[in-house]
Structures are given as structure tokens and as C-alpha cells.
Amino acid sequence: MKAYKYVIIGGGLAGGRASDGIRQVDTEGNVALVTKEHHPPYQRPPLSKGYLMGKQGLGKVYLKEDAHYAQNDIQVIAGVRATELDPAARSVTLADGRVLGYEKVLLATGGHAWRLPLSGNDLPGVFTLRTIEDADAIREAAGSAQRALVLGGSFIGSEVASSLAQLGLGVTVVFPGSRLLERVVPEELSAFLHAKYEASGVRIVSGTKPERLDGEARVERAVLDDGESFSVDLVVMGVGVRLNTALARDAGLQMGDGGAVMVDEWLRTSVPNVYAAGDIAAWPDPTFGKRLRVEHWDVARRQGMRAGRNMAGDEKPYTALPYFFSDLFDFSFEVWGDLTAWDQTVLRGSLDEGAFAFYYFQQGSLVGVLAAGRPDEERKPMQALVRARPTYEDVAARLRDEHVDLNALI
Ligand SMILES: Cc1cc2nc3c(=O)[nH]c(=O)nc-3n(C[C@H](O)[C@H](O)[C@H](O)COP(=O)(O)OP(=O)(O)OC[C@H]3O[C@@H](n4cnc5c(N)ncnc54)[C@H](O)[C@@H]3O)c2cc1C
């Protein structure tokens, strides 16, 4: 058994950032980062956008160049899965039989894409998107395809549809909800997006599910539950993620809904010396006074760094306001806060002018803001406002009035 001071399991954004967090605090202790992928740690947002379209290379996907890890004495063990975490023995067993001892271990194992259990879901030409290999395979298939079907109207589906349309394919998006990004954007914004997609030749089929996919050697036809059927050369399913947390569960860690790993404000799990971060971690959030688990880039980035620093002794609670972004055609937006539940929004600015912010309220309290094209000087007060959680009654009228300085509302 080789003994390490720190072992990180997972080579996504949270794992990669944790290795840097450790090194910022402890320049000596040996670090091993185990990832089942055949790559150095990397981030996923470009995989549905610039990388998928061939506009960005791996340089924009990898967090750091290979040399960085050797230079910082971080041993990346790639292409090998961790199969067992034994907190009593303080060891991690790998699929190739190696056993690594640890003083502190971080689980940053993220998730994998779910595949709809449809007839034909495993035909060649049917893809999910989570890894570099998935993006490469979709791009290659897109090179000789004309008609793509995207299943799912949330982020991955919307982004992939936008990228494939920009690559010149005729794209149909099918989802059971009534509109794109239904859970996170208000109706006006979905309508704005539908107009943008349709103007770019994307057909949106809402309120519908696929019944099956047909084909001989590869996918050729999609049949929907409303009886419609049409030819397809390529299908991408963007229908959600399942967490990679069997390792945590089997090690006896306290688990939450959907296989989440429960952590405290220092990102420590219920078992001593075992930390968790990123998509898998459900943490007690101080702004909203409840546990959150967020499958977004910024949370993985910040939690990875915080967990690494905490493991190395610079112990501070994780208090960042959740943030995410998305790019759909030429439209980009950012969100701060918790949009899992909201019942009212207030619009500041104008969609037609491309400069607006929706403020989201749940039971009369501000829970988040979605902004696009707003002046830079509003970024900080927007976040401060969400943290302050004012009531609808107090701020709605003034938020609508663009002459009112946001700082005056905090
Ligand atoms: C295509 C795509 C586009 C996205 N775009 C955006 C965006 O625009 N904005 C945004 O905010 N968020 C976006 N996200 C979400 C964001 O990428 C995730 O929230 C983030 O990747 C989570 O990072 P993580 O490190 O927790 O997990 P992951 O990135 O999933 O990394 C986990 C790693 O651990 C490895 N692993 C798992 N189990 C084991 C094991 N037992 N042994 C060894 N290794 C293991 C996995 O193979 C993986 O490499 C996107 C996600 C995808 C897939």
C-alpha cells in the first residue's frame, strides 16, 4: 500500500481544483488524484458548446496542462476507477488492485448521463453527453448527419440543439414539458428562446415524449408518443444525470436524496477525514438556510478549491452564493441564487433590447436573479440583494424602475 497524505477521487472540475487548493496551503504533503477517465482533470461546459462545434480545443477543456501536475508534485492516476473506500483502514482500492493509504480523502465523483429506457436507445448514432469522448463521437457523427433529434429541453438539450444547429444540422428538440428551460426561466424568457431557436431552424416539439428509436445498423427513425415519426441520423439524449456515489454509500457515509453525499459547512462528510465536493455534495447553505445540491460549474469550482484548502488545514466554511451560466446561440445568461422553487418574477430591463434581469421570488422572498446584458456595475449589487433576501413588497416596484440604483435596495 502506498501512503498519501491526500487522495482525491474524481478528475472533474471539483477534483482538479481540490488538488490546487491543497497545494496552495500545503506544498509538501503528497497528493494522488484518481480518475477513471483517460485525461487530466477537466471541465465540461465547452463540451456542449465551443468544443462540440469544433471552435475550441482541449486547451479550453483541460484545467491545466499535463506538466502542471508533475511540477506541483500531484500524482494523477488516470484511467483507473476507485472501487472501494475503507474509512477504518483509511485506504482506497483501485480497479487494478492498487491500494492507496490516505490521511484525508476527497470524493469528487460527479455523475454520469442517464439514458432514457427506450427501445433503440443503444443503436449506433444515439448518444448522451458527459465526457470528451461523448463530445468527440457526437461531433464526428454530426459531420455526416443532416437531421438531429435532441431529447430534453433543459440545459444540455438546449445547448446541444443550439450547437448542432450552428453546425448546419436540421434539429428537432423533443421534451415532455411545455417550454424550454421550464423549471428555471419565466415564460417570457422561454418564448424569447423559442423564437430564437425557430429563427435558427430548430423545431421545438414540447409536451411530447419519444416512444422508440428504430434502425437497422444505426438509428434511422424516431417515433413519438403522439404518433409522429420522422427520419433522424443522430440522436442526443440530454435527460439528466445519475450521481456516482456507490463508493460513498458502500463506505457508510450519510447519504441524502438521489444518492447525494451529505456534508457539513466545511465540506466534511459524516465520516472523519472524508470530504465531498461538486455535483455529489449536499451542503447546508447559509443564504437559504437549507441544504442545497447543485449540478453546476461554479459550485464544483469553488467547492473543489474550498475542500482542498480545508483538507490541508485552512479551514473555512463554504458560503458561496450558487451561480451558473449558459450560452444558447448568441445569447448568454447568468444566474445567482437558488431557483429550485419560485412563484413570482420581476423584470428589470427589456428582452427586446437584450439587457434584462429577472428577479425570482418564492413566497414573497427573493431567491435568485437571472441576468443577461445588464451593466457590469449591477453584478455585485445583484448578488448582495440575493444574499439579503428582501421581500417582494419591499423591492418589486423599485426593481422594475431602472432609474433606481440597485445599491439603494440592499
Ligand atoms: C456537457 C456539459 C455541459 C455543461 N455546461 C455547463 C454550463 O454551461 N454551466 C454550468 O454552470 N454547468 C455546466 N455543466 C455542469 C458542470 O459541468 C458540472 O456541474 C461539473 O462538471 C461537476 O463537476 P464535478 O467535479 O463535481 O463532477 P464531474 O465533472 O462529473 O467529474 C467527476 C469525475 O470523477 C470520475 N469518477 C467517478 N467515479 C469515479 C471512481 N470511482 N473512480 C475514479 N474516478 C471516478 C468521473 O469519471 C469524472 O471524471 C455542464 C455539464 C455537462 C456534462
Side-chain angles (χ1 to χ4, degrees), residues 4 16 19 23 25-26 28 63 66-67 80 105 161 170 229 254 269 304 335 337 340 373 377:
Y4 290 89
S19 66
R23 270 291 166 266
V25 180
D26 179 352
E28 309 262 294
L63 302 185
D66 267 354
V80 190
V105 64
S229 90
Q254 191 193 350
T269 70
V335 172
T340 45
E377 45 293 4

Side-chain angles (χ1 to χ4, degrees), residues 150-158 173-176 179-182 238:
V150 174
L151 298 175
S154 196
F155 284 108
I156 300 293
S158 303
V173 192
V174 172
F175 50 90
R179 52 192 181 80
L180 285 174
L181 302 180
E182 189 169 20

Side-chain angles (χ1 to χ4, degrees), residues 178-199:
S178 62
R179 52 192 181 80
L180 285 174
L181 302 180
E182 189 169 20
R183 277 182 292 167
V184 279
V185 310
E187 272 179 48
E188 300 101 295
L189 185 48
S190 286
F192 170 90
L193 290 172
H194 282 216
K196 190 174 271 304
Y197 275 63
E198 279 158 8

